[in-house]
Amino acid sequence: MFDKLEDLLIRYQELTDELNDPNVVNDQARFRKLMKEQNDLAPIVEKYTEYKQTKVSIEDSLTMLDEESDEELRELAKEELNECKEKLEVIEKEIKILLLPKDPNDEKNVIIEIRGGAGGDEAALFAAELFRMYSKYAETQNWKIDMMNVNENGLGGFKEVVFMINGKGVYSKMKYESGVHRVQRIPVTESGGRIHTSTSTVAIMPEAEEVDVELDLNDCKFDVFRSSGNGGQCVNTTDSAVRLTHIPTGIVISCQDEKSQLKNRDKALKVLRSKLYELELEKAHNAEAENRRSQVGTGDRSEKIRTYNFPQGRVTDHRIKLTLHRLDNIMDGDLEEVVDSLIAADQAMRLSKLNEDM
């Protein structure tokens, strides 16, 4: 590990020297590429520098214990030695986490599909609440929401909603949300006061660029139709909505959020690319089954991942056995503790797998 860290330290210095070269500064494409590489290395270099400084402090404390006869100074040296040893263990773990292979999709935007599952109108109402929860969370992260398509049920619920979240590192935080979300409560449609269990499914797909997926437009069939549901002026009076069918896979995508047929067409293609990219990722994940078992679930939409129990005011994530008794806050977009816990669990599992392989 330490040989690798020394190599990264050398590379970081090389990058610093290159970025100070006027010829590089004048070549904006190269300058941006080198800046990105340097920014990626910076946290590792800073942590490794801290590690080396802590090692020096340990050596200094040991030297003082060997040479010093004053008991008070020796006690101070022992305290500092113990503190530095504890700090060194923490830093070593942090370095290992920083050196874990990064998901190449972590910095990408995401396309999210939420669908009402078992439970009819109640499932659709819960799907709308999940959309609101993610929208509120996006606000706290300074991310932007871009609607793709909404299919309402007439009671304020969503049979299906498709939207994009744009921002820094969106996929790195949202990727753990794919799966079945279960709600337990007395539905507004229930007159007998009984608690029902309903579900909604969430699919998180990294936004795919054209270079990520080969898409032949000859394999695509486009139909136009009149938008339905709530919309701005003219939305319901023109054939602006687009239905895209990908013939080889049978994937069908509808987009009607925009007044422009062209914009809806572009959005449908964006969703299709991400769906095809997700299929490729799934194939790769299946081929790396052992690696998948060492990670917190991030893709199987048939996996029951979380329960929202309204009578007890609790949320339970079944993958990491996390239970929080503050359902109202979470439904209002306060997802940070859930997301951080999932990331920490994923890192711990991958570190454990890494240590097994060493």
Side-chain angles (χ1 to χ4, degrees):
M1 180 177 82
F2 295 106
D3 288 343
K4 182 177 181 179
L5 287 167
E6 286 295 333
D7 289 342
L8 292 178
L9 202 59
I10 292 168
R11 178 57 185 156
Y12 186 82
Q13 188 55 54
E14 289 173 351
L15 288 166
T16 302
D17 294 340
E18 282 189 75
L19 288 166
N20 289 327
D21 184 340
N23 293 323
V24 172
V25 175
N26 293 330
D27 183 347
Q28 283 300 301
R30 188 180 173 201
F31 183 78
R32 283 194 296 270
K33 183 181 177 184
L34 293 175
M35 275 294 293
K36 184 182 184 307
E37 186 180 354
Q38 188 189 53
N39 289 336
D40 289 344
L41 288 179
I44 301 172
V45 169
E46 288 169 12
K47 194 56 65 176
Y48 184 43
T49 302
E50 186 182 355
Y51 175 87
K52 295 206 291 187
Q53 289 168 346
T54 307
K55 287 280 283 184
V56 170
S57 297
I58 289 174
E59 293 300 322
D60 290 344
S61 297
L62 288 170
T63 301
M64 183 176 285
L65 283 171
D66 283 342
E67 298 176 353
E68 187 58 59
S69 57
D70 185 285
E71 200 55 41
E72 192 173 337
L73 290 174
R74 285 177 62 81
E75 281 302 314
L76 287 172
K78 284 178 184 176
E79 283 180 25
E80 185 175 353
L81 181 62
N82 290 332
E83 286 175 10
C84 287
K85 282 183 175 179
E86 288 177 10
K87 183 180 178 183
L88 200 68
E89 286 184 20
V90 173
I91 295 173
E92 280 184 355
K93 184 177 179 181
E94 290 172 339
I95 288 173
K96 285 179 180 178
I97 289 171
L98 287 169
L99 289 175
L100 285 172
K102 287 186 170 50
D103 187 330
N105 294 312
D106 272 354
E107 292 305 311
K108 291 191 174 186
N109 302 323
V110 299
I111 291 175
I112 303 180
E113 287 182 347
I114 305 175
R115 288 194 173 95
D121 286 336
E122 165 66 358
L125 288 168
F126 183 55
E129 290 175 65
L130 288 176
F131 168 71
R132 179 182 177 275
M133 178 181 77
Y134 292 133
S135 299
K136 291 284 188 181
Y137 178 59
E139 284 179 23
T140 69
Q141 304 298 306
N142 295 316
W143 296 338
K144 181 189 169 191
I145 298 278
D146 186 14
M147 295 300 295
M148 298 287 197
N149 192 51
V150 179
N151 184 2
E152 300 178 53
N153 74 338
L155 296 174
F158 295 156
K159 295 178 183 176
E160 177 191 49
V161 57
V162 184
F163 58 103
M164 175 178 275
I165 301 183
N166 302 275
K168 181 174 174 57
V170 181
Y171 186 73
S172 68
K173 292 192 170 185
M174 292 298 298
K175 62 185 176 182
Y176 304 102
E177 294 301 304
S178 280
V180 175
H181 294 243
R182 183 174 67 172
V183 60
Q184 294 174 324
R185 64 183 176 189
I186 302 169
V188 292
T189 54
E190 166 63 42
S191 58
R194 293 173 300 163
I195 295 173
H196 287 222
T197 297
S198 304
T199 62
S200 292
T201 61
V202 176
I204 308 288
M205 298 171 286
E207 181 189 13
E209 306 293 337
E210 290 189 33
V211 293
D212 294 326
V213 176
E214 268 190 48
L215 178 59
D216 187 346
L217 290 179
N218 291 322
D219 291 334
C220 299
K221 179 190 173 190
F222 292 92
D223 297 303
V224 295
F225 59 98
R226 191 156 295 180
S227 297
S228 60
N230 297 324
Q233 188 177 4
C234 302
V235 167
N236 301 322
T237 59
T238 60
D239 291 334
S240 60
V242 171
R243 183 181 297 107
L244 165 59
T245 304
H246 186 241
I247 297 165
T249 60
I251 293 172
V252 179
I253 295 149
S254 295
C255 279
Q256 59 178 1
D257 195 61
E258 300 286 348
K259 296 176 186 178
S260 161
Q261 185 184 121
L262 187 60
K263 286 182 179 178
N264 282 325
R265 184 180 184 274
D266 288 343
K267 283 189 173 183
L269 282 169
K270 192 172 283 191
V271 175
L272 175 61
R273 283 195 185 92
S274 292
K275 280 180 173 285
L276 295 175
Y277 186 49
E278 185 192 31
L279 288 174
E280 290 300 317
L281 290 177
E282 193 175 337
K283 286 180 189 173
H285 289 159
N286 291 338
E288 299 169 6
E290 184 61 38
N291 183 48
R292 286 290 281 171
R293 278 196 290 273
S294 71
Q295 297 179 39
V296 170
T298 59
D300 186 355
R301 67 181 72 181
S302 66
E303 177 187 7
K304 183 186 74 181
I305 64 167
R306 197 173 296 150
T307 294
Y308 305 75
N309 186 300
F310 278 70
Q312 296 178 19
R314 65 171 169 84
V315 174
T316 299
D317 195 290
H318 304 290
R319 295 163 296 180
I320 57 174
K321 296 178 174 57
L322 172 73
T323 296
L324 300 172
H325 291 274
R326 47 189 199 85
L327 181 142
D328 289 345
N329 291 341
I330 289 169
M331 294 306 297
D332 206 32
D334 186 6
L335 280 170
E336 202 66 26
E337 186 176 357
V338 178
V339 171
D340 287 348
S341 298
L342 286 162
I343 291 172
D346 189 25
Q347 289 173 342
M349 290 170 75
R350 291 196 289 149
L351 272 177
S352 175
K353 177 72 167 54
L354 187 67
N355 291 333
E356 286 174 13
D357 295 340
M358 288 175 66

